[in-house]
Amino acid sequence: MTSRIDWVRHSCRLLAGIAEEFGTTQPFAGLTIGTGIHLEPKTVALILTLASGGARMISTGNLSSTQADTVSYLRRRGVQVVGESTTDRARHAGYLGEVLGEKPDLLLDNGGDLFMGYLGNPYPGLLGGTEETTSGRMRLQPLALTLDVPVLVINDSPIKQFAENRHAVGQSVLESYLRITNRMTNGRRVLVFGYGACGRGIAAAFRSTYATVSVVETDPVTRLEAYLDGFAVPDREDALRQADVIVTATGAAGVVGGIDLGLLKDDAVLCNAGHFPTEIAVEELTGSAEVADLQEAGQGISTLNLTDGRRVHLLTGGHMVNLAGPRPLGNSIESMDLGFALQARCLEAIANGTVSGGNQVVAVPRFIDEMVARAFLRAYGSPAQAAG
Ligand SMILES: NC(=O)c1ccc[n+]([C@@H]2O[C@H](COP(=O)([O-])OP(=O)(O)OC[C@H]3O[C@@H](n4cnc5c(N)ncnc54)[C@H](O)[C@@H]3O)[C@@H](O)[C@H]2O)c1
């Protein structure tokens, strides 16, 4: 293995198996697939798997996440890559427009940008495609009837929910906390905001490292579930007063803000696992009259020195702690292998007509979930488990 990208490809056993099969079955022969998903090592394995199925690939990244070595790796292997890393929305929109300008037969979208662009300027022949995220599904669902082609939402597969959002996010948030702070968790009081798929995984991961974990959850039914899972569910103010580590995983904005500064313990650490960097209201915190100054320790740690002498630390500026900061690895390769195997099988099913019209913006079909689950158990577990 000569590079990290090769290591990731080598570790994606499901995609390797699918690529070999696609080499024979050629489900995408004569078709163009346009992708608008992060261009980083794990997506390389997916894009090259689709290419091995006979697809002509035209790919661009998402805003600000494109990695230059990934782009050159793909280009060396014949993938047409549009653009480069940019934080400029207009430039990024131009890249998406270039992908759509090739009139792909299938679209692989992450956040709904490609399908929204297609709706703004439709062209004949689109067979359908996939959407990776909840946020993309929320944009596309109201337009489902106008879309009139199958769009399968990977995030709504139970496999994505438990394998990535619960298990992988739990592990990678814990791994990131340990790597960035280098502090022990034993006996520390960890507070998790939100007990959805991600919050469940984060709470369980910290509990497994001997932390005392509590949960604040706005939905009473989900709060009950956290309680029955053995977590303390104190009221919000008490929870904030006691916490040594606070992790947000809600999808909501302003979950922890300036008004909470008075409650926090000296030396408390704040970090966010939710998609948007607004769960912790960073500007409100830093702009508070209670803050004397802000010090950057670097390597993902900022310290707010409060006027009364307390210090509060913020990790990765409130951006997703497992994807920002020093050497961000994101979720485990295997969890992404699963999600991307769903992607490959969904695109195959649309290309060969197994899934057709009437499936606009719906979850991954059950037969694909079952196929991928069996394949994972065969590849990483044992044939007997797959058959069981
Ligand atoms: N970091 C990653 O790698 C990663 C991966 C997948 C998802 N995400 C993101 O993590 C976030 C959570 O995802 P999820 O799948 O767990 O969502 P979810 O909808 O399953 O769960 C969110 C939970 O938070 C609760 N909640 C909402 N506002 C709250 C508040 N103010 N205080 C306390 N609880 C509150 C909701 O009731 C819900 O139970 C989303 O932003 C998602 O995009 C991050």
Side-chain angles (χ1 to χ4, degrees), residues 26-29 31 33 105-106 127-129 150 344-355:
Q26 294 288 290
F28 308 119
L31 300 180
I33 302 180
D105 304 282
L106 292 160
L127 299 173
R345 290 301 186 193
C346 285
L347 289 167
E348 177 193 33
I350 297 169
N352 66 23
T354 310
V355 171

Side-chain angles (χ1 to χ4, degrees), residues 113-132:
D113 287 339
L114 282 176
F115 281 108
M116 293 301 283
Y118 165 81
L119 283 171
N121 196 6
Y123 54 84
L126 180 72
L127 299 173
T130 52
E131 164 54 47
E132 176 76 10

Side-chain angles (χ1 to χ4, degrees), residues 153-233:
V153 181
I154 306 299
N155 191 70
D156 293 347
S157 158
I159 294 180
K160 167 84 160 62
Q161 289 287 319
F162 61 69
E164 186 185 327
N165 294 20
R166 173 146 59 97
H167 289 295
V169 171
Q171 287 180 348
S172 67
V173 166
L174 173 67
E175 183 273 332
S176 301
Y177 173 81
L178 294 173
R179 173 168 36 81
I180 294 169
T181 65
N182 200 20
R183 283 184 170 180
M184 78 188 316
T185 53
N186 308 60
R188 294 282 163 85
R189 291 178 178 272
V190 175
L191 167 60
V192 179
F193 274 89
Y195 199 67
C198 294
R200 280 187 187 97
I202 294 164
F206 275 94
R207 178 161 64 182
S208 76
T209 60
Y210 304 96
T212 301
V213 181
S214 56
V215 168
V216 168
E217 162 61 58
T218 45
D219 177 59
V221 176
T222 312
R223 195 183 321 136
L224 170 65
E225 189 181 355
Y227 174 77
L228 294 184
D229 287 345
F231 297 104
V233 289

Side-chain angles (χ1 to χ4, degrees), residues 3 5 35 37-45 47-48 57-62 64-86 92 95:
S3 71
I5 299 179
T35 76
I37 193 163
H38 306 292
L39 290 176
E40 49 80 47
K42 289 165 192 156
T43 47
V44 168
I47 289 170
L48 294 178
M57 299 301 300
I58 173 155
S59 299
T60 196
N62 290 137
S64 78
S65 62
T66 298
Q67 298 184 11
D69 55 348
T70 299
V71 171
S72 47
Y73 189 99
L74 286 170
R75 284 190 177 139
R76 282 200 303 277
R77 285 156 184 79
V79 174
Q80 191 179 339
V81 181
V82 175
E84 56 193 3
S85 181
T86 179
H92 179 59
Y95 299 154

